[in-house]
Amino acid sequence: MKKWFSAVACASTLLFSSVSLAETSAFNAEQLKQSISQKLGLNVSSARKSEMPGLAEVVTNQGLFYTSYDGKYFIQGKLFSLGAEVSNLTEESLAKVRVDGMVKYEKDMIVFPAKDEKHVVTIFTDITCGYCRKLHNQMDEYNDLGITVRYLAYPRAGVFQGPGQFTQGFEDLRSIWCNEDPNTAMTKAKAGSTVARRICDKPIEDNFNFGRQVGVSGTPAIILANGYMVPGYREPNDLKQLLESL
């Protein structure tokens, strides 16, 4: 028992010593972004001090990560604050990134508006997803409850299936977004109809990359107006209750 306490005390001393040293390291956002980019090949859009002393938060094209101020240590995971209430600091940061992204791609969304709009949700969708189809089949119910639904594209099979060769999922979603009537094209596709081929300049790949960046791993992925994400399908009344509870 004495040996165990001794080992714990030693480990604790090393941990606090590491944090203390990290706190004394100078934080330089631009240097850190450059260091992570060079070492890992990631495109770092932002770097800032996290709420944990000595730990920096970096937002990249592959998601949100944490590093030491000098960029010598790299952590993938979630950061929680254990105050009076437990807070998911990682989700709070990702929510801000999602809000900014929704503004960026707002003009390219396929929107099914509610006549008496009370809430707006943005959904990453794919036409091959069973629950995406179920959700879309209930679109009138969502709209009647005052919920406007906006779609972003997320081809579940990815963008490329080989060098320079798009996946069928990407091509189908691009065709829907490029259709002269994308809302009708979306409805027909989710009902099982063949997608009429269209090619134009729409940010389908950008939508997919944005989804990966903010933690989307499957569809449907529902993003609320405050940026928080609800993974999976939600029945219309269930979603309404969730939105009204915020």
Side-chain angles (χ1 to χ4, degrees), residues 180-191:
E180 55 275 12
D181 185 354
N183 291 60
T184 299
M186 177 69 78
T187 298
K188 288 182 177 179
K190 287 192 174 180

Side-chain angles (χ1 to χ4, degrees), residues 196-209:
R197 185 174 175 80
R198 300 283 193 279
I199 297 177
C200 69
D201 185 20
K202 290 291 183 180
I204 307 303
E205 183 176 359
D206 290 343
N207 281 189
F208 176 75
N209 290 335

Side-chain angles (χ1 to χ4, degrees), residues 125-128 153-179 185-186 189 194-205 208:
T125 194
D126 184 27
I127 62 173
T128 65
Y154 191 86
R156 294 187 299 159
V159 175
F160 296 101
Q161 60 182 357
Q165 186 177 7
F166 293 118
T167 62
Q168 186 64 50
F170 171 87
E171 291 189 343
D172 285 345
L173 287 172
R174 181 178 62 181
S175 294
I176 291 169
W177 255 259
C178 292
N179 194 284
M186 177 69 78
T194 301
V195 178
R197 185 174 175 80
R198 300 283 193 279
I199 297 177
C200 69
D201 185 20
K202 290 291 183 180
I204 307 303
E205 183 176 359
F208 176 75

